[in-house]
Amino acid sequence: MADPQLLSNVRALVGRQYGRVYAWDEVNAPMIRQWCEVMGVDNPLYTDPAFALGTEHEGLIAPPAMLQVWTMEGLHANNYPSGSTDENPYEVLKEMEAYGYASTVAVNSELSFTRPLRLGEKLYYTTRLDSVGDEKTTALGTGFFVTLVMSHFVEKAGGDEPVGELLFRVFKFRPANVQAPAKVEAAAVNAKRPLPGISDDTRFFWEGCEKGQLLIQRCTACQTLRHPPAPVCIECHSFDWDTVEASGRATLYSFVVMHYPEVPPFDYPNPIGLIELAEGVRLIAGLVGIEREQLQIGQRLQVEFQTFDDQLTLPLFRLAEA
């Protein structure tokens, strides 16, 4: 059974209203267009001004599912515009953690809309702790279903207008059957690099690496280069192909630096590049001999081959000499 004091504390919070969180930007066409591109939405009502002008909306509107997007903090957590509240609407979860309900899992999120958003409108939302259910026992553990409702408004001189709500529900619980992991005494094992999956379509590439050759698949019908290898040409759909040896000269098209989780035997931070070969195709490969602070898009690179565990030869890239 839950602690009576905990129940008293959380029930006292139910119905509490938390202050405003403002949007950084007005509803605008560039953000709508980018969101539609990412989500694969091609409705002209959102991106074609001429089409939208002839509809009942008399202009572009934002996709309803973007409601929450306008008031997000961005890349950095809790980075909201001036005037936004610094209250923590999740304080009820902190209260539960103090009583041993340390785990959280999202259960569901529901959007509802009053009307579409139009260009130039500025939003904010307020949060209400809608409910904390009775203590429940599930397969995950024992805890409480907590429901918050974020009510969104458009700022207006004559009175702010409600435009939609976001319901967000989580399960705050004590995990079931938690046991300390058994201590295993075992000799240290040197981890090896995982081997790639090799098929009839990719075998030529790995055999080329063993010989110090960076081989790219080429359609013999239309001369189109392609990578990763595939059985059919992406341009003319021919099944006929051969290979061409790349020069190894390349540029850094993009990159990421892996920090976590750390997986043996890789070294961390682990820079990985999207490499654009001089021949025009791109591939993903490790970057060597360069620090994170030195990485810049567009840098000239050169391939080199390294063999790991006496069984796997990989093409890696380092900065080309000036």
Side-chain angles (χ1 to χ4, degrees):
M1 293 292 294
D3 188 291
Q5 186 60 52
L6 169 63
L7 296 178
S8 175
N9 293 348
V10 299
R11 285 168 180 163
L13 292 172
V14 173
R16 177 171 176 179
Q17 193 85 20
Y18 297 85
R20 297 183 179 187
V21 174
Y22 289 96
W24 278 105
D25 303 290
E26 296 177 345
V27 176
N28 62 85
M31 285 181 64
I32 293 174
R33 176 180 56 79
Q34 292 166 7
W35 187 91
C36 288
E37 288 180 1
V38 171
M39 302 302 292
V41 175
D42 58 4
N43 189 334
L45 184 59
Y46 307 142
T47 56
D48 186 339
F51 175 88
L53 192 60
T55 69
E56 62 178 318
H57 302 289
E58 300 181 342
L60 293 176
I61 63 171
M66 281 189 75
L67 178 66
Q68 186 187 13
V69 172
W70 304 107
T71 51
M72 286 182 169
E73 65 265 49
L75 180 63
H76 304 290
N78 299 317
N79 179 32
Y80 293 107
S82 175
S84 297
T85 182
D86 58 2
E87 297 175 306
N88 179 12
Y90 299 100
E91 63 176 325
V92 66
L93 304 185
K94 297 293 184 183
E95 182 72 25
M96 292 177 178
E97 289 172 4
Y99 285 82
Y101 299 85
S103 298
T104 308
V105 61
V107 177
N108 64 298
S109 180
E110 301 173 8
L111 282 172
S112 59
F113 318 102
T114 305
R115 67 159 176 84
L117 299 177
R118 300 177 178 88
L119 300 187
E121 294 184 321
K122 195 74 175 288
L123 276 74
Y124 69 86
Y125 73 84
T126 61
T127 303
R128 181 183 78 256
L129 178 56
D130 187 69
S131 65
V132 177
D134 295 332
E135 188 179 45
K136 301 287 186 182
T137 298
T138 72
L140 290 174
T142 299
F144 302 88
F145 288 94
V146 179
T147 304
L148 298 106
V149 174
M150 290 79 163
S151 299
H152 289 67
F153 300 85
V154 165
E155 294 182 285
K156 287 192 171 182
D160 298 341
E161 180 183 358
V163 290
E165 289 187 340
L166 167 65
L167 179 148
F168 184 60
R169 182 175 292 119
V170 299
F171 183 51
K172 194 69 174 170
F173 64 99
R174 290 184 179 130
N177 303 321
V178 176
Q179 298 179 353
K183 187 175 181 179
V184 177
E185 299 291 341
V189 177
N190 293 326
K192 294 183 178 182
R193 293 236 175 181
L195 296 176
I198 299 178
S199 67
D200 290 340
D201 295 323
T202 63
R203 185 171 288 105
F204 77 90
F205 180 83
W206 300 109
E207 290 177 349
C209 290
E210 292 177 359
K211 300 174 183 178
Q213 298 176 324
L214 186 58
L215 299 181
I216 303 300
Q217 197 175 40
R218 177 177 60 184
C219 174
T220 55
C222 69
Q223 305 302 302
T224 297
L225 299 179
R226 61 182 186 260
H227 189 88
V232 180
C233 177
I234 58 177
E235 293 294 335
C236 72
H237 303 158
S238 171
F239 286 86
D240 299 324
W241 60 271
D242 61 6
T243 62
V244 60
E245 183 178 356
S247 65
R249 297 188 302 274
T251 56
L252 185 59
Y253 186 84
S254 184
F255 67 90
V256 297
V257 180
M258 299 293 297
H259 293 271
Y260 185 83
E262 295 188 0
V263 179
F266 300 98
D267 296 325
Y268 291 86
N270 180 18
I272 302 169
L274 178 57
I275 312 299
E276 184 164 79
L277 299 179
E279 290 73 18
V281 297
R282 297 173 189 156
L283 72 160
I284 297 173
L287 299 168
V288 294
I290 182 171
E291 298 297 327
R292 162 64 184 89
E293 294 73 17
Q294 297 175 283
L295 289 171
Q296 295 182 14
I297 302 299
Q299 286 175 313
R300 292 193 300 140
L301 305 173
Q302 180 65 44
V303 72
E304 69 174 47
F305 294 91
Q306 293 186 16
T307 300
F308 300 90
D309 309 318
D310 297 323
Q311 62 179 343
L312 175 62
T313 302
L314 295 175
L316 305 175
F317 287 80
R318 67 170 59 246
L319 290 180
E321 296 182 2

